[in-house]
Amino acid sequence: MSMSIKSRMIGRALLGAAMALMIGGGSAQAAEGIVPPSQDWSFNGVFGTFDKASAQRGLKIYKEVCSGCHSLNLMYYRNITALGYSEDQAKAFAAEYETTDGPNDDGDYFTRPARPSDRFVAPFENEKAAAASNGGKAPPDLSLMVKARMHGADYIYALLTGYKEVPPEGVTLSPGGHYNEYFPGHQIAMAPPLFEDAVEFDDGTPATVEQMAKDVSMFLAWTAEPEMEDRKGMGVKVFLFLLVFLGLAIANKKRLWAKLH
Amino acid sequence: MQSNEPGPEFSGVVKWIDRRLPIFTMMSKEYQQFPVPRNLNYFWSFGALASITLIVMIATGIFLAMQYQPNTELAFNSVERIMRDVNYGWLIRYIHMNGASMFFIVVYIHIFRGIYYGSYKEPRELLWILGVIILILMMATAFMGYVLPWGQMSLWGATVITNLFSAFPIIGEPIVTWLWGGFAVDNATLNRFFALHYLLPFVIFAVVFLHIAALHIPGSNNPDGIDPKGPQDTVNFHPYMTAKDMIGIAVFLLVYAALVFYAPNFLGHPDNYIPANPLVTPPHIVPEWYFLPFYAILRSFVADWWFFQIFLGWWGMTAKLAGVLAMFGSLILLAVLPWLDTSRVRSCKYRPVYKWLVFLFVIDFAILGYVGGKPAEGWYVIVAQWATLYYFFHLLILTPFVGWMERPKPLPASISQPAVAPAE
Amino acid sequence: MSESTETGHASEDGGSRRDFLGMLTMATAAVGAASFAWPIIDSMNPSAEVLALASTEVDLDGVEVGQAITVIWRKKPVFIRHRTPEEIAEAEAVPMDDLVDPETDEARVKNPNFLVMVGICTHLGCIPLGQNPSDPKGDFGGWFCPCHGSHYDTSGRIRKGPAPRNLTVPEYEYLSDTLVKIG
């Protein structure tokens, strides 16, 4: 394999070099991509948290729309208690799925209702099966999707709402391709997954495409970073501690050095 | 620099141990009474910061290794298990991941300080060379560590960087196969990278020990670059320098915490959250930010570059080999800086011309870093090529010549008496 | 001599305020280092997916009188013995004074026919013998730990040898007459 120095490389800007001047770089956008508009997510910012009601709706959308093709391999059914479900609800949710277990004493694999300690059941046996059922390319696992794409949840939202029924003039789609404003290359194999009232929300929220896109992006932001609330909460405490420590260190140093002659 | 003060007094168990193994006397002499120039500024805290980062990296790394699975089938998910299921696993992993970046930030500033104040000059040449060795070991460690999560960037970064060795004629290909332990970067590669990633930090630790031991012979350089003339020019390391270092540590930790808690993936690449796929190369592969300047040097050498054609291409060297040699050379050259710099004066404070050249060198390095993260096309290539030339021009031509030509400003008589010495 | 100046070298006595501030700064740093230690220590405790390990269900149908089975629960062996009437009688007849760790047989079973307990010797964690018909069962007809010679009776109570406690009875419940859920 030859060193691909000439391969096209686009990346984030530089940070660093000498001096404390950190030239912080936001992420450069892929040449063919469009920067998705920023949404006002509840998880943005230092004190950001997940909107649990929205994420619960997102779970329903995942279950009824996405999970036909996309796996969520890193999640366990027990995890959904973090979205405000009780343990019994998580148990009931898990029990709706059949998972494979075994081998039993006879050496056979068997299916049984899933338990909270089981991972989300994937729609396909394995990646090859997934690819075979989807025109040769397996639909990606969604667990980390928000972290694995530039602009995270903004991108997912933009992608889900960025379909155009009629592609702009001059664009010819290959068979099975769909025009999407935000997908790199603008041609995506996934058909528009969301349509008005695709899901009936338990809390009565009108299921517009925008609403569903927002909710499922919220849900996937959670599956990508389930630790986020803990992390930001701990960060506040660590900052307060370090500021006190900094104050003490400054006072101590001043006092000490002031007496030097 | 040896302190001429009496040794410390101990009692009890400490005294009993110290008479048989004088570690307490050593600690006291080297870390308490150890005299440091009293004019040190905050740039002199970065050595302590680097030591702390090394310890934090080793501590978090050991506990991550207890959870990590170095197998291509398991590695990616084992890292996600750390992030999701291990108690505080996300914290430990984010500290480790961002610790690599913090380590390089701190070390690059530490190196800049050494260059600006001439800390590499006699009698500290060996100290400086040990530092360059630490930098190279850090780069190897960071590179192999980035492979471990086995995401797309891990796999393809490992592929590209190990392929550098294929540039060498005849022995190149066998070396690459040997590094891989197979015909591609695969399980054998991941396994050995994990073993080496665990080993190298302890090698770094040992070299840091030598680095500090070598420092404690002549003692610290200082912003004036002149030797202390007596006790009036120095203070004890503890509590004076430690009190200053505490402030540096607090500020450092605030920056570190900002990354860990609020922007843990800011310096990373989203593609590394996609499991490694040997059949698909990501469209935009870039190394971690701290490698970008050297990556830019590597990429500058293309067959149709005039510099390459005039000076290198005609006797059979390939552009690929030239790039690899230039990249390694840019690091090795730092080690001989003590002999490239011909000036008698250490500190740039008293070097009116070289001072600006150092700043230019830093800007050049930053430019290299910037274009290293951009696609290798159009203006980026031309800028990278000129910046690469300037990097070598600075070290090989400007540094020796300015040392000869420049007329330094008069040095102060002593550290504690900053008045300018009477004109000669 | 000015009290407020120092030369920056040893054997000088700083003011008490400096000492206090210095100690407070150091103490704060120590607290910080200690709080950093806790997460990395706690990372070695069982992780969430281990704690969530499912309970184990066992079907006792088909376990004959006198037969014993071993099932795995949380990676540990659980002994289930379908005791004979003699074994039950023997276990119930033991006076409490004879026991190292006094416990009635009644307190150790939910259904006297089936004894359910974790098959790990309370001495140093070996697996006692006694599950297979050919195993030595010790002086009291129950189990015998070959590592250090602990003898357990037909209720799994320690009778002789170095083990300090009876074999542990896990939490379990009968979902039906023959279906037991452990954990």
Side-chain angles (χ1 to χ4, degrees):
Chain A
M1 213 171 312
S2 87
M3 177 179 56
S4 43
I5 352 180
K6 285 190 192 168
S7 65
R8 309 186 57 214
M9 307 191 186
I10 304 187
R12 357 158 283 266
L14 161 80
L15 178 138
M19 307 284 294
L21 288 172
M22 291 165 54
I23 311 158
S27 305
Q29 178 63 15
E32 65 272 38
I34 301 171
V35 178
S38 304
Q39 307 294 326
D40 185 21
W41 300 108
S42 67
F43 51 79
N44 286 345
V46 170
F47 300 102
T49 53
F50 294 114
D51 176 345
K52 303 230 156 57
S54 171
Q56 287 196 2
R57 293 193 295 270
L59 172 63
K60 187 160 191 190
I61 299 162
Y62 169 75
K63 179 184 162 186
E64 295 182 7
V65 179
C66 320
S67 71
C69 301
H70 292 277
S71 57
L72 202 58
N73 285 337
L74 296 173
M75 301 309 288
Y76 294 91
Y77 291 113
R78 64 181 157 80
N79 292 142
I80 69 167
T81 54
L83 294 182
Y85 291 104
S86 70
E87 293 201 7
D88 286 335
Q89 283 173 309
K91 217 174 231 175
F93 185 88
E96 293 176 36
Y97 296 86
E98 288 283 312
T99 193
T100 307
D101 200 351
N104 60 15
D105 292 344
D106 300 323
D108 297 325
Y109 287 88
F110 57 97
T111 59
R112 57 162 174 79
R115 303 182 188 131
S117 56
D118 288 317
R119 288 179 188 274
F120 272 55
V121 174
F124 300 100
E125 196 82 346
N126 52 54
E127 206 178 313
K128 291 254 163 105
S133 307
N134 287 280
K137 196 166 176 296
D141 184 81
L142 294 185
S143 316
L144 281 168
M145 195 47 81
V146 165
K147 264 168 131 177
R149 294 290 180 276
M150 297 267 188
H151 309 289
D154 287 339
Y155 169 75
I156 306 294
Y157 176 82
L159 183 89
L160 290 174
T161 53
Y163 283 92
K164 292 269 177 295
E165 264 179 56
V166 185
E169 260 179 67
V171 177
T172 23
L173 297 171
S174 52
H178 303 270
Y179 186 83
N180 191 300
E181 232 178 312
Y182 294 97
F183 191 72
H186 300 304
Q187 229 191 119
I188 185 167
M190 174 169 73
L194 301 176
F195 52 90
E196 192 95 9
D197 293 324
V199 170
E200 194 181 326
F201 289 129
D202 306 329
D203 59 5
T205 306
T208 61
V209 170
E210 286 75 23
Q211 182 66 43
M212 288 187 286
K214 203 147 214 179
D215 290 341
V216 83
S217 302
M218 176 72 66
F219 172 69
L220 292 177
W222 169 72
T223 65
E225 299 192 291
E227 89 297 342
M228 187 212 69
E229 291 182 2
D230 284 349
R231 170 160 57 77
K232 290 184 173 174
M234 189 188 286
V236 172
K237 288 182 212 152
V238 169
F239 257 80
L240 289 177
F241 175 84
L242 287 175
L243 287 174
V244 170
F245 178 53
L246 177 63
L248 280 170
I250 292 173
N252 181 45
K253 186 261 170 186
K254 282 208 162 143
R255 182 87 192 157
L256 203 55
W257 283 73
K259 287 186 290 183
L260 281 179
H261 64 79
Chain B
M1 166 173 29
Q2 286 305 306
S3 163
N4 49 9
E5 289 165 28
E9 296 282 327
F10 298 117
S11 60
V13 179
V14 172
K15 185 179 181 180
W16 187 91
I17 295 173
D18 200 66
R19 281 183 57 193
R20 288 153 182 86
L21 181 69
I23 46 173
F24 295 100
T25 301
M26 191 273 276
M27 288 300 288
S28 173
K29 278 213 187 303
E30 300 297 326
Y31 292 103
Q32 187 174 357
Q33 299 176 19
F34 182 68
V36 291
R38 63 171 57 198
N39 59 339
L40 297 189
N41 60 32
Y42 281 98
F43 276 117
W44 265 265
S45 285
F46 282 86
L49 297 182
S51 313
I52 287 174
T53 316
L54 177 61
I55 289 165
V56 167
M57 291 303 274
I58 290 179
T60 50
I62 286 172
F63 286 83
L64 287 173
M66 293 181 190
Q67 312 283 356
Y68 172 75
Q69 310 273 354
N71 179 303
T72 52
E73 297 290 319
L74 306 171
F76 187 88
N77 281 359
S78 79
V79 171
E80 281 304 315
R81 180 187 154 262
I82 291 171
M83 294 296 294
R84 288 152 194 271
D85 285 334
V86 172
N87 303 319
Y88 297 108
W90 59 266
L91 176 64
I92 301 171
R93 193 221 169 192
Y94 277 157
I95 287 176
H96 197 75
M97 193 173 118
N98 287 290
S101 286
M102 291 306 292
F103 208 171
F104 277 96
I105 292 170
V106 163
V107 163
Y108 281 150
I109 295 173
H110 189 62
I111 294 170
F112 163 75
R113 190 269 285 156
I115 292 176
Y116 187 82
Y117 293 111
S119 299
Y120 48 82
K121 288 190 199 176
E122 204 276 334
R124 298 185 183 86
E125 303 95 324
L126 193 54
L127 173 63
W128 173 262
I129 291 172
L130 288 166
V132 175
I133 292 172
I134 293 170
L135 175 65
I136 293 170
L137 287 170
M138 274 174 64
M139 290 180 151
T141 310
F143 159 65
M144 287 190 271
Y146 194 61
V147 177
L148 302 185
W150 207 243
Q152 274 290 66
M153 282 294 165
S154 300
L155 170 62
W156 293 103
T159 302
V160 168
I161 300 301
T162 48
N163 263 314
L164 291 182
F165 293 92
S166 69
F168 295 102
I170 305 164
I171 52 164
E173 292 291 344
I175 287 181
V176 174
T177 309
W178 176 76
L179 284 173
W180 290 344
F183 303 110
V185 175
D186 198 8
N187 204 42
T189 327
L190 180 61
N191 255 286
R192 63 191 59 182
F193 278 17
F194 178 55
L196 292 172
H197 183 71
Y198 203 113
L199 168 71
L200 283 183
F202 296 97
V203 177
I204 293 176
F205 195 87
V207 182
V208 166
F209 184 83
L210 297 178
H211 188 70
I212 294 172
L215 168 70
H216 280 216
I217 300 304
S220 296
N221 182 34
N222 62 77
D224 287 326
I226 54 175
D227 294 329
K229 299 221 162 35
Q232 72 281 5
D233 287 348
T234 63
V235 291
N236 280 2
F237 184 75
H238 181 75
Y240 296 97
M241 210 36 215
T242 46
K244 271 183 106 158
D245 282 347
M246 284 291 174
I247 298 177
I249 289 168
V251 174
F252 164 78
L253 290 178
L254 279 165
V255 176
Y256 197 168
L259 274 178
V260 167
F261 293 105
Y262 298 107
N265 296 302
F266 176 72
L267 297 172
H269 197 290
D271 277 7
N272 225 29
Y273 284 106
I274 302 172
N277 181 349
L279 301 180
V280 181
T281 307
H284 325 298
I285 61 172
V286 274
E288 291 284 85
W289 69 265
Y290 37 80
F291 292 134
L292 291 177
F294 302 98
Y295 195 56
I297 292 175
L298 169 79
R299 293 195 311 186
S300 294
F301 288 81
V302 288
D304 57 359
W305 184 23
W306 61 267
F307 180 83
F308 174 76
Q309 288 185 339
I310 295 173
F311 295 99
L312 301 163
W314 50 270
W315 56 280
M317 163 139 5
T318 62
K320 179 173 166 180
L321 180 57
V324 171
L325 292 177
M327 187 186 72
F328 287 122
S330 66
L331 278 168
I332 306 291
L333 216 48
L334 287 177
V336 293
L337 187 56
W339 295 277
L340 291 171
D341 184 352
T342 52
S343 174
R344 291 170 297 106
V345 175
R346 289 198 190 106
S347 173
C348 277
K349 229 169 129 178
Y350 304 103
R351 299 188 60 185
V353 180
Y354 194 64
K355 170 189 193 163
W356 295 107
L357 294 180
V358 169
F359 286 135
L360 268 180
F361 186 60
V362 170
I363 292 168
D364 184 60
F365 192 70
I367 289 172
L368 279 170
Y370 179 75
V371 294
K374 294 291 173 190
E377 56 192 25
W379 277 102
Y380 295 130
V381 178
I382 295 163
V383 172
Q385 289 170 339
W386 282 104
T388 298
L389 285 187
Y390 186 78
Y391 183 98
F392 289 98
F393 182 67
H394 171 90
L395 289 174
L396 291 171
I397 313 287
L398 286 179
T399 300
F401 278 96
V402 171
W404 283 320
M405 317 293 241
E406 183 184 48
R407 172 188 270 264
K409 289 189 203 164
L411 295 174
S414 77
I415 289 171
S416 55
Q417 195 190 341
V420 170
E424 35 313 0
Chain C
M1 174 181 167
S2 165
E3 285 171 13
S4 62
T5 61
E6 295 174 7
T7 63
H9 292 278
S11 68
E12 281 165 300
D13 193 37
S16 62
R17 170 107 177 258
R18 188 260 270 173
D19 282 343
F20 175 71
L21 254 179
M23 274 156 60
L24 192 63
T25 313
M26 289 297 174
T28 312
V31 168
S35 1
F36 170 63
W38 171 245
I40 59 178
I41 291 167
D42 191 36
S43 75
M44 289 174 69
N45 276 319
S47 52
E49 96 284 7
V50 172
L51 293 174
L53 259 192
S55 46
T56 300
E57 283 176 20
V58 191
D59 190 358
L60 300 177
D61 199 27
V63 181
E64 306 292 335
V65 175
Q67 194 191 342
I69 57 167
T70 306
V71 296
I72 292 171
W73 170 66
R74 292 190 176 171
K75 309 282 169 186
K76 293 189 285 198
V78 171
F79 291 169
I80 302 176
R81 186 188 280 192
H82 192 167
R83 301 188 292 183
T84 62
E86 301 81 57
E87 284 174 335
I88 298 170
E90 205 181 317
E92 284 174 349
V94 177
M96 288 296 112
D97 290 351
D98 289 3
L99 296 174
V100 179
D101 179 12
E103 214 177 354
T104 62
D105 184 60
E106 209 186 351
R108 291 175 58 76
V109 290
K110 292 209 160 104
N111 166 358
N113 291 332
F114 290 98
L115 177 63
V116 179
M117 49 190 195
V118 176
I120 291 181
C121 180
T122 58
H123 181 219
L124 291 172
C126 296
I127 299 176
L129 297 169
Q131 288 292 90
N132 296 317
S134 59
D135 281 353
K137 291 188 166 53
D139 296 354
F140 301 88
W143 289 265
F144 170 68
C145 184
C147 289
H148 308 98
S150 293
H151 298 253
Y152 295 92
D153 67 14
T154 53
S155 188
R157 292 172 297 201
I158 179 68
R159 300 295 291 274
K160 189 177 151 190
R165 286 187 325 277
N166 304 333
L167 292 177
T168 310
V169 176
E171 248 183 63
Y172 68 94
E173 58 178 327
Y174 281 90
L175 298 177
S176 72
D177 282 353
T178 56
L179 196 62
V180 172
K181 183 180 148 206
I182 304 167

